[in-house]
Amino acid sequence: MNERRRRTGERGRSGSAWMAVRAGVWARDSGLCQACGRAVALNGVDCAEIDHIVPLSHGGSDHDDNLAAAHFGCNSSKGDKIILRADRVQFRKAQGE
């Protein structure tokens, strides 16, 4: 285990362990993108990605309470901004939805 992973408690972001985390976050979020509120598929085209609510670049972690289901486009447009759940409506308006 590398030093950064040991310090932050991050899980690897690939393989079956991360896929299980992804499925758990998707189920917890009722299959809805937490950025735009629309349904997002677990698998297939435009499937759910896992968004870090507080990005790793801002000191966030891979703990479940910092993860949210998101569409690829929503997650990409968010970038490394910190958007808390209470601010999702404002984010949607900013994205023109």
Side-chain angles (χ1 to χ4, degrees), residues 6-62:
R6 187 172 28 252
R7 272 196 331 256
T8 62
E10 292 172 15
R11 295 183 280 252
R13 288 186 211 96
S14 62
S16 60
W18 184 249
M19 295 306 284
V21 169
R22 184 174 150 271
V25 169
W26 179 84
R28 180 202 66 203
D29 291 345
S30 302
L32 298 175
C33 173
Q34 297 301 295
C36 71
R38 294 177 299 167
V40 60
L42 180 58
N43 296 303
V45 177
D46 198 24
C47 64
E49 290 197 344
I50 298 303
D51 174 39
H52 289 84
I53 297 165
V54 177
L56 298 174
S57 63
H58 289 282
S61 71
D62 282 338

